[in-house]
Amino acid sequence: MLNNTFEILYLAFFIAGSVVRVIGVAKGKSWWRRKSEVVENRGTWTEKLFLFFSFLGMQVIPFIYIFSSWLDFADYGLPVGLSRILGWSGCLVFAAAIWVLWRSHIDLGRNFSPELKIRKEHKLVTHGIFRTIRHPMYSAHWLWALAQAMLLQNWIAGLSMLLAFWPLYAYRVTREEFMMCDRFGDDYRDYMGRTGRIFPRFRK
Ligand code: SAH
């Protein structure tokens, strides 16, 4: 039940992150982009299923925990001091997740799509946050999942996104890189050589 500071803070961060998401997706769906037809669609039913799992872990289970008492039996049960340290650190991690999500949407702009797709006017983005990380949006999701585990101190609701995002990430990231290599060839292969997948890489 909504009964502690960290659940309220989780909700505030969740709303802020969702606003960033909605604005980012809306930018991607602009009129200009609708005119740019999809030339490659590698979305599959498996990906849709994994997207649905992620949705449950990120947007459904946390709310069942916050607004009912059904999952309370699985609380971490930490001592107050430890719970506070974990919770406040979780706020920092959540803020970082939202910042990375925001930067990724700004830099990816109209090249964003929820499923694996390439459009006619697709441009390879290698600037901004993409200069050091190839998949900053996925990094943002991992940070979000970690923050959820720190703020919602419950074995089910806390860990649900970490567990539910895993299959989507594992299934998708390699296929995405294959798709980008097919489309952008050596430009993408070179880009892979100088960036990290989800952690920034600063070396040449
Ligand atoms: N994996 C990226 C983007 C996620 S959105 C991230 O985590 O930030 C998924 C879409 O982004 C894919 O369908 C692909 O078409 C596009 N994409 C991924 N990397 C890109 C890049 N460097 N430049 C342009 N488009 C990219």
Side-chain angles (χ1 to χ4, degrees):
M1 205 70 99
L2 189 58
N3 57 7
N4 80 43
T5 317
F6 296 127
E7 289 173 21
I8 297 168
L9 285 166
Y10 168 86
L11 275 180
F13 280 113
F14 183 95
I15 292 168
S18 304
V19 169
V20 165
R21 189 66 167 170
V22 167
I23 295 174
V25 172
K27 260 165 57 86
K29 278 191 184 152
S30 65
W31 175 87
W32 179 90
R33 188 184 138 136
R34 266 185 275 129
K35 301 286 274 185
S36 176
E37 69 198 72
V38 174
V39 289
E40 177 86 53
N41 185 349
R42 298 209 186 167
T44 60
W45 280 102
T46 312
E47 187 185 37
K48 281 192 173 55
L49 181 71
F50 290 157
L51 275 165
F52 178 68
F53 285 168
S54 269
F55 167 73
L56 292 181
M58 187 179 184
Q59 277 138 322
V60 177
I61 297 174
F63 287 87
I64 295 179
Y65 175 62
I66 291 172
F67 294 108
S68 79
S69 44
W70 298 345
L71 303 178
D72 288 2
F73 69 93
D75 281 349
Y76 296 163
L78 296 173
V80 178
L82 198 57
S83 163
R84 285 203 187 129
I85 293 171
L86 193 67
W88 290 115
S89 313
C91 290
L92 296 179
V93 177
F94 218 147
I98 294 173
W99 181 80
V100 175
L101 186 66
W102 173 244
R103 288 309 322 163
S104 318
H105 269 295
I106 297 267
D107 293 330
L108 198 56
R110 290 155 172 164
N111 302 295
F112 167 79
S113 55
E115 292 178 77
L116 292 187
K117 282 181 188 162
I118 298 268
R119 289 179 178 268
K120 201 161 138 215
E121 319 277 339
H122 211 106
K123 300 264 180 322
L124 176 61
V125 175
T126 59
H127 65 272
I129 198 164
F130 284 82
R131 190 190 301 272
T132 50
I133 320 180
R134 288 198 293 289
H135 301 288
M137 219 171 264
Y138 301 154
S139 314
H141 280 74
W142 280 123
L143 287 170
W144 184 307
L146 193 62
Q148 184 173 315
M150 294 165 93
L151 285 166
L152 301 183
Q153 298 179 0
N154 175 277
W155 292 109
I156 299 170
L159 300 194
S160 63
M161 184 170 164
L162 280 172
L163 294 177
F165 183 60
W166 185 258
L168 179 66
Y169 174 76
Y171 178 75
R172 188 162 152 149
V173 73
T174 330
R175 297 178 73 252
E176 183 165 334
E177 291 183 348
F178 272 121
M179 180 182 82
M180 297 303 281
C181 282
D182 287 349
R183 165 76 188 211
F184 295 102
D186 284 344
D187 285 349
Y188 195 76
R189 275 185 281 272
D190 291 348
Y191 173 62
M192 284 175 82
R194 56 178 198 269
T195 48
R197 213 176 216 182
I198 54 167
F199 294 105
R201 180 162 156 195
F202 298 103
R203 283 183 295 116
K204 280 267 169 203

